[in-house]
Amino acid sequence: AAHPLAKLLVLLLVWAFSHHVFAGLRHLALDMHLGVDLGTARLSGLMVLLGAGLVTLAAGWRLSHEVDDRIAIGTGTWLVQRA
């Protein structure tokens, strides 16, 4: 199992990357003059935060539920992690 601080670092990087992607899509829409009124702009900002949060939660769930049986790619052998 990976060190908890390493998992935390991964989650922080996932949040930063997903937030950057969603905010970039938001700004692309704003550049095309979509959602420029105040209410829609605030809603799209909230959607960026919620989207990045959901992606991070999904990554956290995946990190906490590691698969026990794995195939070593290229070797054709099975690796079994013991609990």
Side-chain angles (χ1 to χ4, degrees), residues 18 24 29-33 39 54 61 64 67 69 71-72 79 82:
S18 61
L30 290 172
D31 286 344
M32 295 186 297
H33 303 286
L54 287 174
W61 181 84
S64 67
V67 178
D69 296 327
I71 298 175
L79 296 177
R82 296 184 180 165

Side-chain angles (χ1 to χ4, degrees), residues 47-67:
M47 296 305 289
V48 166
L49 292 174
L50 290 176
L54 287 174
V55 169
T56 305
L57 283 175
W61 181 84
R62 178 64 183 94
L63 282 173
S64 67
H65 292 84
E66 295 180 16
V67 178

Side-chain angles (χ1 to χ4, degrees), residues 5 8 13 23-24 28 33 40 43-44 51 57-60 63-64 70 73-74:
L5 288 178
L8 179 62
L13 290 173
L28 182 62
H33 303 286
T40 307
L43 179 63
S44 66
L57 283 175
L63 282 173
S64 67
R70 298 172 190 251
I73 297 174

